[in-house]
Amino acid sequence: TQLLEQSPQFLSIQEGENLTVYCNSSSVFSSLQWYRQEPGEGPVLLVTVVTGGEVKKLKRLTFQFGDARKDSSLHITAAQPGDTGLYLCAGASGNTPLVFGKGTRLSVIA
Amino acid sequence: DARVTQTPRHKVTEMGQEVTMRCQPILGHNTVFWYRQTMMQGLELLAYFRNRAPLDDSGMPKDRFSAEMPDATLATLKIQPSEPRDSAVYFCASGLVPVHGYTFGSGTRLTVV
């Protein structure tokens, strides 16, 4: 069974701080996706990384896929209250459904 | 923007009652998923369909749960009889496979008392 471990589980920071959350597995994935979920809503896709070592930027968010395609990180620069939410990583292997981590719950305090 | 529509948004029911949740996936997406989300377990895959054919429902208790896709615009998840441990948020998602990302609905929050 493929598992994705996300850390930390919970993170509470002040507005303007930087943070990094992690997504780790012992399995290799063909691609990895990051989603953000806000209260009362479903997860929304932020980015897909495909190549080992790939880095993608989305405004203040930087996503990296590990060289071995087993892990990923999300770095947020100068966090804002609007970044508050549950961040989920999900790994893809062929045509099988995505495997989701349990998420990192981020709270950014103004 | 195309969206996945789920109904109802909230459902409170008594133990033993039947619950039906509905989902309208995005037109053109070939795969539809049902997930259950709880604080303890996170997102759990219950069942999924590709081109309306059921591919895997091993994630759900078959004695009480059933998932169907009667046409391309409707997927249903039924629980009969419902139990308090079924209380959770149920999400439908659709996507084009090979994976290009899933689009999730807003979920059905089910409370069984």
Side-chain angles (χ1 to χ4, degrees):
Chain A
T1 304
Q2 296 175 312
L3 288 175
L4 280 166
E5 301 284 341
Q6 291 192 245
S7 61
Q9 260 188 294
F10 301 94
L11 188 56
S12 182
I13 61 170
Q14 295 290 127
E15 181 177 3
E17 291 184 1
N18 301 333
L19 66 114
T20 302
V21 299
Y22 300 92
C23 173
N24 295 296
S25 175
S26 57
S27 303
V28 176
F29 292 100
S30 55
S31 66
L32 201 135
Q33 301 177 2
W34 285 91
Y35 292 77
R36 179 168 66 208
Q37 183 178 15
E38 297 183 13
E41 296 299 327
V44 175
L45 179 66
L46 296 174
V47 77
T48 301
V49 285
V50 178
T51 308
E54 181 177 3
V55 176
K56 278 193 175 178
K57 294 195 174 188
L58 190 66
K59 296 183 181 176
R60 294 174 293 100
L61 279 59
T62 302
F63 305 85
Q64 182 159 11
F65 201 10
D67 291 341
R69 291 187 286 124
K70 292 183 180 181
D71 54 83
S72 181
S73 63
L74 158 59
H75 181 80
I76 302 179
T77 304
Q80 298 178 0
D83 297 326
T84 293
L86 177 68
Y87 288 81
L88 296 160
C89 66
S93 289
N95 288 344
T96 58
L98 291 174
V99 174
F100 281 87
K102 291 189 178 181
T104 292
R105 198 167 295 276
L106 172 66
S107 176
V108 182
I109 302 161
Chain B
D1 280 345
R3 57 178 61 190
V4 174
T5 303
Q6 287 187 249
T7 56
R9 287 296 310 271
H10 303 273
K11 177 73 176 178
V12 180
T13 191
E14 290 185 348
M15 182 173 62
Q17 295 298 305
E18 178 178 297
V19 175
T20 299
M21 290 169 268
R22 293 177 173 80
C23 168
Q24 181 176 354
I26 290 174
L27 200 61
H29 281 184
N30 62 354
T31 310
V32 177
F33 306 87
W34 282 106
Y35 284 90
R36 176 171 61 187
Q37 187 176 42
T38 60
M39 285 292 289
M40 289 297 294
Q41 301 298 330
L43 273 170
E44 299 174 278
L45 178 67
L46 298 175
Y48 75 105
F49 299 80
R50 182 155 303 143
N51 299 319
R52 293 180 52 207
L55 282 195
D56 187 356
D57 62 1
S58 60
M60 63 185 195
K62 291 195 193 49
D63 58 336
R64 298 186 301 107
F65 284 57
S66 62
E68 295 181 349
M69 197 164 176
D71 62 62
T73 65
L74 177 65
T76 62
L77 180 66
K78 191 174 296 186
I79 307 175
Q80 167 65 16
S82 57
E83 297 181 2
R85 60 179 166 152
D86 300 330
S87 297
V89 182
Y90 290 80
F91 286 103
C92 175
S94 69
L96 265 178
V97 177
V99 172
H100 288 290
Y102 297 175
T103 302
F104 282 80
S106 297
T108 294
R109 181 174 293 276
L110 174 65
T111 303
V112 183
V113 297

